[in-house]
Amino acid sequence: SQELEQSPQSLIVQEGKNLTINCTSSKTLYGLYWYKQKYGEGLIFLMMLQKGGEEKSHEKITAKLDEKKQQSSLHITASQPSHAGIYLCGADINTNAGKSTFGDGTTLTVKP
Amino acid sequence: GAVVSQHPSWVICKSGTSVKIECRSLDFQATTMFWYRQFPKQSLMLMATSNEGSKATYEQGVEKDKFLINHASLTLSTLTVTSAHPEDSSFYICSAENSGRAVGNIQYFGAGTRLSVL
């Protein structure tokens, strides 16, 4: 989606390394959602961020939403092969109701 | 909680036949469900928003007569690909919003249906 830009497009890291995925918009994000997808499967909801400056963590994954609510980052600490997959950010742009817009995804490969 | 079941997971059909895909929210009610199409190594493309008890809202470029959506109950939406052709072959994913959730529009996704039209 051009309204929601995700970077990098793909990422290959060595097991144990940290990594960051970014999701950026030129518009205000009323809700920001991170999902993980394994190829050929559905999406698994990871986290939701709504407030500027908000940060949430689940196990080794931390997501942040900046104060301006236009950028979010997903950080994985000490990556493991189980973290491999496609990470997508989704957001409610310009409104807090209705359909979400999705980024193009980041394919993460973790080498053992 | 928040489980969405999508069936079938994989279907192969002959050109010209119709295929129905079901999307069920198992442990919550969903006034709104979404149908997406995903091409290899690409993101989700929203096809339509399915609203319980009313007509679906289709995105621009999506033929409503080709992709029939029915959302007759708070836990079930169906997508029927009518007169399927090879170009309809794709990965279709549904999602559902929890109507009972007060904050946020979290979508819970089905596992997807891979459609192959011969």
Side-chain angles (χ1 to χ4, degrees), chain A residues 2-5 23-29 68-71 93-94:
Chain A
Q2 292 184 342
E3 288 189 305
L4 208 57
E5 290 197 9
C23 183
T24 305
S25 175
S26 59
K27 301 177 181 178
T28 301
L29 306 174
K68 291 175 63 178
K69 294 172 61 175
Q70 289 183 310
Q71 182 175 8
I93 297 178
N94 290 331

Short mmCIF file of all heavy atoms in Angstrom, two decimals, chain A residues 2-5 23-29 68-71 93-94:
data_model
loop_
_atom_site.label_atom_id
_atom_site.label_comp_id
_atom_site.label_asym_id
_atom_site.label_seq_id
_atom_site.Cartn_x
_atom_site.Cartn_y
_atom_site.Cartn_z
N GLN A 2 0.50 2.24 -0.79
CA GLN A 2 1.30 3.47 -0.79
C GLN A 2 0.99 4.31 0.42
O GLN A 2 1.77 5.18 0.79
CB GLN A 2 1.02 4.24 -2.08
CG GLN A 2 1.55 3.54 -3.32
CD GLN A 2 1.35 4.37 -4.57
OE1 GLN A 2 0.55 5.29 -4.58
NE2 GLN A 2 2.06 4.06 -5.62
N GLU A 3 -0.16 4.10 1.04
CA GLU A 3 -0.50 4.87 2.23
C GLU A 3 0.29 4.39 3.44
O GLU A 3 0.47 5.14 4.40
CB GLU A 3 -2.00 4.75 2.51
CG GLU A 3 -2.87 5.52 1.53
CD GLU A 3 -4.31 5.55 1.98
OE1 GLU A 3 -4.89 4.46 2.22
OE2 GLU A 3 -4.88 6.64 2.10
N LEU A 4 0.73 3.17 3.38
CA LEU A 4 1.46 2.57 4.49
C LEU A 4 2.70 1.90 3.91
O LEU A 4 2.60 0.93 3.19
CB LEU A 4 0.57 1.54 5.18
CG LEU A 4 0.78 1.25 6.64
CD1 LEU A 4 0.65 2.52 7.47
CD2 LEU A 4 -0.24 0.23 7.11
N GLU A 5 3.85 2.45 4.21
CA GLU A 5 5.08 1.91 3.66
C GLU A 5 5.81 1.09 4.71
O GLU A 5 6.03 1.55 5.84
CB GLU A 5 5.97 3.04 3.15
CG GLU A 5 5.40 3.69 1.90
CD GLU A 5 6.43 4.52 1.16
OE1 GLU A 5 7.62 4.44 1.50
OE2 GLU A 5 6.03 5.24 0.24
N CYS A 23 7.24 0.73 9.81
CA CYS A 23 5.97 0.94 9.11
C CYS A 23 5.67 2.43 9.19
O CYS A 23 5.57 2.98 10.29
CB CYS A 23 4.88 0.12 9.80
SG CYS A 23 3.26 0.21 9.03
N THR A 24 5.56 3.09 8.03
CA THR A 24 5.48 4.55 8.02
C THR A 24 4.32 5.03 7.16
O THR A 24 4.04 4.48 6.10
CB THR A 24 6.78 5.16 7.46
OG1 THR A 24 7.88 4.67 8.23
CG2 THR A 24 6.77 6.67 7.55
N SER A 25 3.69 6.11 7.63
CA SER A 25 2.62 6.73 6.86
C SER A 25 2.78 8.24 6.92
O SER A 25 3.34 8.78 7.87
CB SER A 25 1.26 6.34 7.44
OG SER A 25 0.22 7.02 6.77
N SER A 26 2.28 8.90 5.89
CA SER A 26 2.30 10.37 5.89
C SER A 26 1.05 10.91 6.58
O SER A 26 0.91 12.11 6.79
CB SER A 26 2.36 10.91 4.46
OG SER A 26 1.25 10.44 3.73
N LYS A 27 0.16 9.98 6.94
CA LYS A 27 -1.09 10.38 7.59
C LYS A 27 -1.14 9.84 9.02
O LYS A 27 -0.38 8.95 9.39
CB LYS A 27 -2.28 9.84 6.79
CG LYS A 27 -2.31 10.35 5.35
CD LYS A 27 -3.45 9.74 4.58
CE LYS A 27 -3.42 10.25 3.13
NZ LYS A 27 -4.51 9.64 2.31
N THR A 28 -2.04 10.38 9.79
CA THR A 28 -2.19 9.94 11.17
C THR A 28 -2.76 8.54 11.23
O THR A 28 -3.71 8.21 10.52
CB THR A 28 -3.12 10.91 11.93
OG1 THR A 28 -2.56 12.21 11.88
CG2 THR A 28 -3.26 10.47 13.38
N LEU A 29 -2.18 7.74 12.07
CA LEU A 29 -2.63 6.36 12.24
C LEU A 29 -3.47 6.27 13.51
O LEU A 29 -2.97 6.47 14.61
CB LEU A 29 -1.42 5.43 12.33
CG LEU A 29 -0.42 5.52 11.17
CD1 LEU A 29 0.81 4.67 11.44
CD2 LEU A 29 -1.07 5.13 9.86
N LYS A 68 3.94 11.14 17.03
CA LYS A 68 3.09 11.74 15.99
C LYS A 68 2.09 10.75 15.40
O LYS A 68 1.23 11.11 14.60
CB LYS A 68 3.97 12.30 14.86
CG LYS A 68 4.79 13.51 15.24
CD LYS A 68 5.73 13.94 14.12
CE LYS A 68 4.97 14.36 12.87
NZ LYS A 68 5.90 14.81 11.79
N LYS A 69 2.22 9.50 15.80
CA LYS A 69 1.33 8.43 15.31
C LYS A 69 1.38 8.30 13.80
O LYS A 69 0.35 8.17 13.12
CB LYS A 69 -0.11 8.69 15.79
CG LYS A 69 -0.26 8.58 17.30
CD LYS A 69 -1.62 9.02 17.79
CE LYS A 69 -2.74 8.20 17.24
NZ LYS A 69 -4.04 8.56 17.84
N GLN A 70 2.61 8.37 13.27
CA GLN A 70 2.78 8.17 11.83
C GLN A 70 3.80 7.09 11.52
O GLN A 70 4.00 6.76 10.35
CB GLN A 70 3.19 9.49 11.17
CG GLN A 70 2.07 10.52 11.12
CD GLN A 70 2.48 11.77 10.38
OE1 GLN A 70 3.53 12.35 10.67
NE2 GLN A 70 1.66 12.21 9.43
N GLN A 71 4.44 6.58 12.53
CA GLN A 71 5.44 5.56 12.31
C GLN A 71 5.45 4.56 13.45
O GLN A 71 5.34 4.92 14.62
CB GLN A 71 6.84 6.18 12.18
CG GLN A 71 7.92 5.14 11.91
CD GLN A 71 9.27 5.77 11.66
OE1 GLN A 71 9.46 6.98 11.83
NE2 GLN A 71 10.22 4.96 11.24
N ILE A 93 -6.32 4.45 8.92
CA ILE A 93 -5.77 5.74 8.50
C ILE A 93 -6.90 6.76 8.39
O ILE A 93 -7.92 6.51 7.77
CB ILE A 93 -5.04 5.61 7.15
CG1 ILE A 93 -3.84 4.67 7.33
CG2 ILE A 93 -4.58 6.96 6.63
CD1 ILE A 93 -3.06 4.43 6.07
N ASN A 94 -6.71 7.89 9.00
CA ASN A 94 -7.65 9.00 8.94
C ASN A 94 -8.93 8.81 9.71
O ASN A 94 -9.71 9.71 9.88
CB ASN A 94 -8.03 9.35 7.49
CG ASN A 94 -6.88 9.98 6.75
OD1 ASN A 94 -6.04 10.62 7.36
ND2 ASN A 94 -6.84 9.78 5.45
#
